Amino acid sequence: MKLQWKGGSRIGAAGAAVLSGVLTLSGCGSSGGADTAAAPSSAAAGAHTSGGIACGKAATLQASGSTAQQYAMKYWIKSYTHACPDTRINYTGNGSGAGQDDFLAGRTAFAGSDSPMTADQVDQSKKACSGSGHAIHLPMVGGPIAVGFNLPGVDRLVLDAPTLAKIFDSRITKWNDPSIAQLNKGVKLPPTAIQQFHRSDSSGTTDNFTSYLAEAAPDAWTYGHGKEWAAHGGRSAKGSSDLAAQVQRTQGAIGYFELPYAVARMIHTVSVDTGAPAPVDPNVIAASQAIAGAKTVDTGNDLMLTLDYGTKAPGAYPIDVVTYEIVCDKGNKSSTWPATKAFLTYMASQKGQENLTFQGYATLPAKVVDKVRSEIGGLS
């Protein structure tokens, strides 16, 4: 089933399915920027298989990080703990940077991050991984970063990378600016002031969004990329959920967040002019097409993807994110590793991956998922 979010205002049958899934899963945890997903537990020991899911030894897992995968994580936790009720999994969506810090400090069994650790962080991870182990990255889920806007009377909006760069650098400040009008001929744009919103926390979503601006509009965006917001002006919010809420309630607003947050709040989204024959809408099919062109960097047990943010391929949406689960290649905590390994195995399995489009996520290339499954089997 396909998710189509066209012009930001029309939800087709597949979009409705995604929206339904998001609303159902939101009951599994709070909806704030630092969401926590959890499930009940009961005392037990040993491993077993239930409903096609192999359960690890009973344990309580603490994990944190990426808000991009928040809806996927709620789905995974709900499904896994339904089959394996003796395991409790607490995932706090506090941002990729905070998730990496938690893992490096030994507070969590794994971290979710939308941007890879630096070489210095990997070296630092040797303190958290026993027996000369170190942190590795397992790509688990992908998806489009939507650029949401709130402009009454405008249902469809087309922007390109240079214009987005100037908007988010506070150099274009009115919605009827000639640069925007040129891309939206025939659209009546009001002189409303642009209210630009960005993340206040250390964010992999910010890293990927600014990577797109830096690669697709290098002359207009001079800040490079990073998890910390560096441009001028604008207003900030912590986490994708809070940022989406600010855009929803603020007239003239624009901000960036993963597609499920836009769908859940019915926020209009920007169609991106990439230079292809037609502007591209943010949807899982268009994101999957772009991610399929990613280059893989495979070093030992580590597996990372390099996205082509400057793609001009027809139908490929360029502003995407891949979320990694970060664990040790060896030396994971013995008390929780059997449960962690079983949970990661389920996440990467066909059963764990097959319904992610209903949550608003894109498919990773089959060869990447196959490699992840193989790597998990060899970790300790």
Side-chain angles (χ1 to χ4, degrees):
M1 185 166 288
K2 298 179 181 179
L3 166 66
Q4 298 290 341
W5 182 254
K6 295 183 179 180
S9 61
R10 300 185 295 277
I11 305 177
V18 173
L19 178 57
S20 174
V22 166
L23 293 178
T24 299
L25 290 174
S26 67
C28 301
S30 63
S31 60
D35 288 349
T36 299
S41 65
S42 62
H48 64 282
T49 301
S50 175
I53 297 176
C55 305
K57 185 178 179 181
T60 296
L61 305 182
Q62 304 294 341
S64 66
S66 165
T67 61
Q69 69 172 1
Q70 189 71 48
Y71 287 116
M73 189 58 69
K74 288 177 180 178
Y75 167 74
W76 283 324
I77 290 174
K78 181 180 180 181
S79 300
Y80 182 84
T81 54
H82 177 76
C84 311
D86 301 319
T87 295
R88 181 180 179 88
I89 304 170
N90 300 313
Y91 182 84
T92 301
N94 54 359
S96 296
Q100 291 177 352
D101 290 343
D102 287 340
F103 181 79
L104 292 174
R107 291 189 287 266
T108 52
F110 68 92
S113 179
D114 311 322
S115 56
M117 285 185 167
T118 65
D120 286 344
Q121 286 178 307
V122 172
D123 186 60
Q124 184 183 346
S125 73
K126 295 175 182 178
K127 297 179 181 178
C129 305
S130 62
S132 72
H134 61 80
I136 61 166
H137 304 81
L138 301 171
M140 198 64 72
V141 67
I145 298 173
V147 180
F149 67 96
N150 180 347
L151 196 57
V154 178
D155 292 337
R156 180 174 176 81
L157 184 70
V158 176
L159 296 173
D160 59 13
T163 306
L164 280 167
K166 292 172 185 176
I167 288 173
F168 279 93
D169 194 25
S170 300
R171 286 184 283 149
I172 293 178
T173 60
K174 297 288 185 180
W175 278 112
N176 63 346
D177 186 276
S179 298
I180 301 176
Q182 179 66 26
L183 293 164
N184 295 273
K185 294 179 180 179
V187 177
K188 187 176 181 180
L189 296 167
T192 307
I194 295 175
Q195 305 291 333
Q196 173 257 110
F197 283 89
H198 54 268
R199 289 279 289 271
S200 62
D201 51 328
S202 182
S203 162
T205 307
T206 295
D207 194 8
N208 284 272
F209 181 64
T210 55
S211 290
Y212 160 72
L213 295 177
E215 186 169 331
D219 293 335
W221 186 261
T222 59
Y223 303 98
H225 70 90
K227 294 191 290 291
E228 311 290 342
W229 187 256
H232 301 294
R235 299 159 66 182
S236 64
K238 185 176 181 180
S240 290
S241 182
D242 286 349
L243 200 155
Q246 291 293 335
V247 171
Q248 182 188 36
R249 69 171 63 107
T250 306
Q251 186 170 322
I254 188 170
Y256 57 92
F257 31 79
E258 292 72 30
L259 182 62
Y261 294 97
V263 174
R265 294 182 178 275
M266 301 186 73
I267 297 171
H268 300 320
T269 56
V270 168
S271 299
V272 178
D273 183 346
T274 64
V280 188
D281 300 330
N283 61 62
V284 295
I285 304 303
S288 295
Q289 184 168 336
I291 293 172
K295 295 180 180 179
T296 59
V297 180
D298 187 357
T299 306
N301 299 111
D302 214 2
L303 181 59
M304 291 180 283
L305 302 182
T306 302
L307 299 174
D308 180 8
Y309 299 102
T311 181
K312 296 181 180 179
Y317 184 76
I319 318 175
D320 301 302
V321 60
V322 170
T323 299
Y324 303 92
E325 312 309 328
I326 297 175
V327 293
C328 302
D329 63 339
K330 57 183 177 179
N332 290 282
K333 296 176 182 177
S334 58
S335 60
T336 57
W337 177 241
T340 303
K341 184 175 183 178
F343 183 51
L344 292 172
T345 298
Y346 157 69
M347 290 162 64
S349 70
Q350 181 177 349
K351 191 176 185 71
Q353 293 281 314
E354 63 187 0
N355 288 324
L356 289 180
T357 53
F358 290 101
Q359 318 308 322
Y361 294 97
T363 354
L364 295 181
K367 63 180 181 180
V368 173
V369 178
D370 287 343
K371 180 68 174 176
V372 170
R373 293 169 183 161
S374 175
E375 293 298 345
I376 292 172
L379 303 179
S380 62

